[in-house]
Amino acid sequence: MLEPQIVVRGLSKTYRVPERNPGVGAALRSLIQRSYRSVEAVRDVSFNVAAGEVVGFIGPNGAGKTTTLKMLSGLLHPTAGEVVVMGEVPWERRPAYLRRISMVLGNKSQMLWDIPPLDSFRLLGEIYSVPPAQFRETLDELVALLELAPLLSKPVRTLSLGERMKCELVAGLLHRPAVLFLDEPTLGLDVSTQGRLRRFLGAYNRRNDVTMILTSHYMADVVALCPRVILIHHGILLYDGELDGLAHTLAPFKLIRVGLSSASQCALDLPGGVELLQRTNGSLALRVARELAPRITAQLLNTLPVVDLSVEDPPIEAVIDQIYQGDGDQEARL
Amino acid sequence: MHYLRLIRSFIDVAFQNALAYRINFWVSLLHSILDLGTGILALMVLFSQVEAIRGWTLPATLALLGTYLLLGALRRLFIGPSLEALAGMDGEIWVGTFDFTLLRPVNVQFLASVRTWQPLAVLDLLLGAVVLLTASLRLGRALALVQVLYFIVTLLAAVAILYALLLAFSALVFWSPGLLFTWLFNALFQMARYPVGLYPGWLRLVLTWVVPVGVMTTVPAQALAGGLSLGMLLGSLGLAGGLFCGASLLFRTGLRRYASASS
Amino acid sequence: MNLRGGWALIQRTWLSWLQHRSFFFLLAFGWMVPPLIYLFVWSTAAGAGTAGGLRRGEFVAYYLVLILVNQLTYSQTNWTVGDTIRHGGMNTLLLRPLSPIFDALASELAGKVVYMAFVLPVTAGLALILRPELQVTLQGGLAFVPTLAMAWALRFFWGYALALLAFWATRADALLAVQDALIFLLAGQVAPIRLLPAPLHQVAVILPFRYMLGFPVEVLTGQLETDGLPTGLALQLGWLLVALVLFSMLWRAGVRRYAAVGG
C-alpha cells in the first residue's frame, strides 16, 4: 500500500455568522449590537486519498463540501484537526505547495475578462514560473484535448459559459498540478458540454495520473468520474467508499420490476415486506428489503404470469435525494 | 527577477485591456484636464483675493498642486487599480475570486499591489510634471541641485506613504468586507491638495500623525520651495518606512483572518 | 400615478439602504470633504481680517450651509440611471406598472434621510468647534425654502436628463463628470460666487450651476446684492423649466429608441 497523498484527520471547522431578523426594528438594533451564532460546517472528518485517485465529494447544499475542499487547498484554516497533502500543511500556503495544486471553481472565474484567453494563460505561466517550453507543450496538449484553438484569440467576455469553463480548466492545469480540486466544474452547463468536460477530466486523469477531488451536484459527474465517493451531510462524513456501495449502505432496498404477459387483473397477493410502487396494465414496480429480494423474486415467478423481471439497485440520485431530504426519512418514494 | 518579469507581464495585459476600450482614452483625458483645470482655477480664485496664506504663495502652492497631481497619477497608474481590484466595489473580496489570488505561488501582498495597471494614468503623470515645472520656474530663483535631490527623495517617501496608507485602508476590508475603505481614503487624500498649514490645529495633527496625507504633498513642495529642514527630510523617510512595515503587518494579519473566517 | 407602489418602493429602498448605512455614510463623508477643504482654506485666508470682504465666521457659516445644501441637492441616482440603462436593467423597470422615475425618487428620498442622519450631526459638531457667524433675515429665511427646493429639482432633472444620454452614447457619464467639475467651480464650492474674478463671475451668474447649489446658500447667509433675489429667482425658475422640458423630451425619445433598438 502506497503512502497516501492526502491525509485528513479529525478535520473540523466552525464559523461565526451574524444574525438578524427581518424588519426595520431589527435593522436598527443590529446597528448597535450584532448577534452571532456558530455554525459547525465540518465535524471531525477523516479520510485518505492515494495519488491518482478521483474522489467525489457529494452532499446537499451547505453540507460542508466546499469548506472541506477549501481547507484541503489551503484557503481556510480549520478549527481543529490536521491535513497533510504531499507532505505539506496546506494553509501554510508555501509556494512549493501552491505550485503543485490547482483549484477550479465552477462559479468563479480566474480569466481576465477583456482580453483573449491566451494572454491570461501567458500571465498564469509567468505567475507559476512555468518554463516556456513546458508551457507551450502543456498548452498545446490541453488545447487539443479541449478543442480550444479557435477561441484562443477572442476576448473572454465574448465566450459562452461552456467555452469559458474549458478555459478555466486550461488555466488550472497549465502548471501541471499533481492535485486538482474541482468545485462544481459543470455548474450551469448544457448536458453535452458537461459530458465533454467529464470525458476530458477522465482522460486527463488517466494520462497524467493527477489526483482529483471533485464536488458536484450532478450525479452524472460523479458516476462518470469517481470510483470513490465521500458523502458529507451536516458536516459529518456519512460514507466513504465505492460508489456502488453507497446504495447498499444507505438504501437497504432493491427495486423489482415485473413485466406481465396478460393484461391480467389477477388479484395481487403480495407477500409481507413488499411495497407496491407502481402498477400499470402490464407491469409492476416493487420495493423490497434487500435481504428479502431473492425469496420474493422466486415467489413472484411462481405466482404471476411473468414475462420479464429485473432486480435493480435504486438509482443513485434517488438514494442521495433520500438522504438530502431528511434524516432517515425512509418513506421517500424511490 | 521573477517579480520584475511578473510586473512586465501585468503591464502587457494592462495595455491590451486599455486598447479593448479605446473610447476610454478620451474620457480619461477629459477627466485629467478637468482635474487639472479645476485645481488651477481654484488656486487662481484664492490668490486673486490674498497675496499669501501662512507663508504659502501662489507658486509654492502650485508646486504643491503639482506634487498632488503627480502622486494622484502614480496612484492611478497601479497602486489604486490593483488595490481596488482587491478591496473595491466588484473587487476580489467582494466577488469572491480572491481565492485564486491566495492560491498563487507568489507573495500575496506583492500580487495584490502591482497586479492591475492603468496605462492612461501616464497622461496625468505628464500633466503633473508640467505643473511642477511651471511652478518651479515661477518660484523665481534657480533651483539648487540639492533642492531637486531633496524633492525627489521626499517624493519617493511620499509614494511609499501613499502606498502604505492605501494598503492599510484596503486591508481593513478583511475585517469588514462591505465597507469601501478606499473611498474613505479618497476623501482624506483630497485634503492633500492644500498645505497642511492651512488647516486648523487639530486637523493638522490628524493629517500629520493619524492619516499622514498632509505630509505627502507638503514636505516635497517645501523641499522645492526651499523651506525644508533636515529633520523633516529624515522624519518623512522614517514615517515612510514605519508606515510601510505597519501596513504590511496589518495586511498579513488580515489575510490570516480571511483564511480563518471566510466561508 | 401609482402612489401605493411608489411608497412601497421607497420603504424597500430605505430598508435596504439602512443595511448598508456605513457605505452611505462613507459616501456622504466623501461629498462633505471638498467644501470642507475650502471652508478651512478660506477661513485661514481671512484670518483675523477679511478675504474678499468676508470675515472668517462668515466663511464658516457659508460653507456649513453649503455642505447641507449640497447633500440635499446632490442626486447620486443620476449616476445609477446611466448604469441601469447600459446594463440592460431598464427592461425590468419598464415592465413594472410604475414609472421608472419612481425608482429615482425612491432612492432620492431614502438617500436624503440616510445622508442627513450622518451630515446633520457632523455639521452641528463642526459649528460648535468653528463658531460660524450667521444672521438670517426674515426675507432670507423665507426665500431659502423655495430656492432650496428648486435647486434640488433643477439638479435632479438636469442630471437625470444628462444621464439619459446613455440611451445614445456608451460613455455619457463623462458628461456628468464635466457637470460635477462645473458645479465645483461655478456653483460656489471653490469660493462664494461673488469672490470669483470678473469674467468667471458673470458666467457663473448666467449658467444654471449656481442655481443648483450656491444660490440658496447665498440667500440664507445674506450674501446677495440688493436686486439679487428677484433676478436669481427668475433665472432659477427659468433653468428649472429648461431642465424639465429637456428631461421629458430625452425621456420620451430615449424610451422610443430603446424599444426600437432593443436595448
Side-chain angles (χ1 to χ4, degrees), chain A residues 20 24 28 31 34, chain C residues 14-15 18-19 21:
Chain A
R20 188 172 76 67
V24 181
L28 284 172
L31 291 180
R34 287 242 156 113
Chain C
W14 195 67
L15 209 67
L18 205 65
Q19 284 201 21
R21 76 243 166 233

Side-chain angles (χ1 to χ4, degrees), chain B residues 1-17:
Chain B
M1 234 359 252
H2 176 214
Y3 280 19
L4 281 181
R5 283 190 44 189
L6 265 185
I7 291 181
R8 226 203 52 207
S9 311
F10 286 131
I11 296 178
D12 279 354
V13 168
F15 266 104
Q16 299 195 33
N17 258 330

Side-chain angles (χ1 to χ4, degrees), chain B residues 168-189:
Chain B
F169 272 79
S170 308
L172 291 178
V173 145
F174 291 120
W175 279 269
S176 179
L179 262 182
L180 296 172
F181 292 99
T182 42
W183 269 77
L184 185 62
F185 181 80
N186 268 357
L188 291 171
F189 183 62

Side-chain angles (χ1 to χ4, degrees), chain B residues 23-24 27 30-31 34 37-39 41-42 45-46 48-50 53-54 89 178-181 183-184 187-188 190-191 193-194 197-200 202-203, chain C residues 22-23 26-27 29-30 33-34 36-38 40-42 44-45 51-52 126 129-130 170-171 174-175 177-178 181 184-185 190-191 194-197 200:
Chain B
I23 189 162
N24 279 352
V27 173
L30 180 76
H31 277 282
L34 279 177
T38 49
L41 276 168
V45 171
L46 180 64
S48 71
Q49 300 293 341
V50 286
I53 314 175
R54 294 257 169 95
M89 229 191 223
L179 262 182
L180 296 172
F181 292 99
W183 269 77
L184 185 62
L188 291 171
Q190 291 184 55
M191 298 213 164
R193 263 174 189 279
Y194 286 90
L198 296 200
Y199 297 114
W202 54 274
L203 190 56
Chain C
S22 43
F23 170 69
L26 264 183
L27 282 184
F29 177 71
V33 167
L36 212 52
I37 290 174
Y38 287 94
F40 291 131
V41 168
W42 280 109
T44 307
L126 284 171
I129 305 173
L130 300 169
T170 43
R171 289 305 302 267
L175 267 178
V178 176
F184 181 71
L185 270 181
V190 157
R194 53 187 267 202
L195 298 195
L196 294 180
L200 218 51

